[in-house]
Amino acid sequence: MNNKNTLILVAGLMAMVFVAASVFAYYPLSITVSTTTPPVTFATGSNAGNNDLGPGNTITVSLGSNSASASVTVHPTYQTTYYKDVLRITNSDSKAYNVYIRVDTAITSFPAGSTIQLKIYASGASRPGTPIATVPLTSTGTASIGSLSGGGTWEMDVEVYIPEGSTLPSPATANLQLIYTPSSETPP
């Protein structure tokens, strides 16, 4: 075989490789996004809107227009300040949901030794008592709260400890997410 024939043979093989590499198969697929009313939502607690420490301060709780978001503002002082039942998590569905709280942005600007905690109780549970879960707001992470039964409600308390003798810090905000799922998988 001479060089000319070899070159033609190689060019022909290359053409077949390029033709084979240019084959595409198309299969139909449809994805339907069908929305639903949120089964797990926020509700104001019994102490929302009540007087707080300091002149003119109130325990402020604001809910989003569909109760799928919430904002809480409290005004603690030195030692332990406890805010009972400021916010609630409610399940209007008939099935249970596994609930998690994720702290995306923690409060890290408070004096050393300070603690800021979200405590979650069964509706109507007496305090002090053992909460369903305690979520520290001074570090990031995801905490499993438990299974909220159909028609169930949990109450959320906020407990703040600031050591006496330290300088009271400027306002700080923790950003959290309420995560719920009907599955037993851990959220990503």
Side-chain angles (χ1 to χ4, degrees), residues 47-62 71-76 83 86:
N47 281 315
N50 287 339
N51 288 328
D52 200 347
L53 303 177
N57 290 331
T58 60
I59 300 168
T60 306
V61 178
S62 301
S71 175
V72 175
T73 302
V74 293
H75 306 88
Y83 297 91
V86 295

Side-chain angles (χ1 to χ4, degrees), residues 5-94:
N5 289 341
T6 303
L7 191 56
I8 292 172
L9 179 62
V10 169
L13 288 173
M14 292 295 284
M16 288 192 314
V17 168
F18 288 125
V19 169
S22 297
V23 174
F24 299 93
Y26 295 85
Y27 289 173
L29 168 67
S30 78
I31 297 175
T32 302
V33 178
S34 179
T35 61
T36 187
T37 302
V40 175
T41 57
F42 292 108
T44 56
S46 63
N47 281 315
N50 287 339
N51 288 328
D52 200 347
L53 303 177
N57 290 331
T58 60
I59 300 168
T60 306
V61 178
S62 301
L63 301 179
S65 59
N66 299 105
S67 299
S69 62
S71 175
V72 175
T73 302
V74 293
H75 306 88
T77 191
Y78 293 111
Q79 300 296 346
T80 300
T81 310
Y82 197 91
Y83 297 91
K84 179 183 173 188
D85 189 21
V86 295
L87 186 65
R88 295 180 181 183
I89 302 170
T90 62
N91 180 358
S92 61
D93 205 341
S94 60

Side-chain angles (χ1 to χ4, degrees), residues 144-155:
S144 174
I145 307 306
S147 180
L148 180 57
S149 61
T153 298
W154 289 338
E155 297 174 0

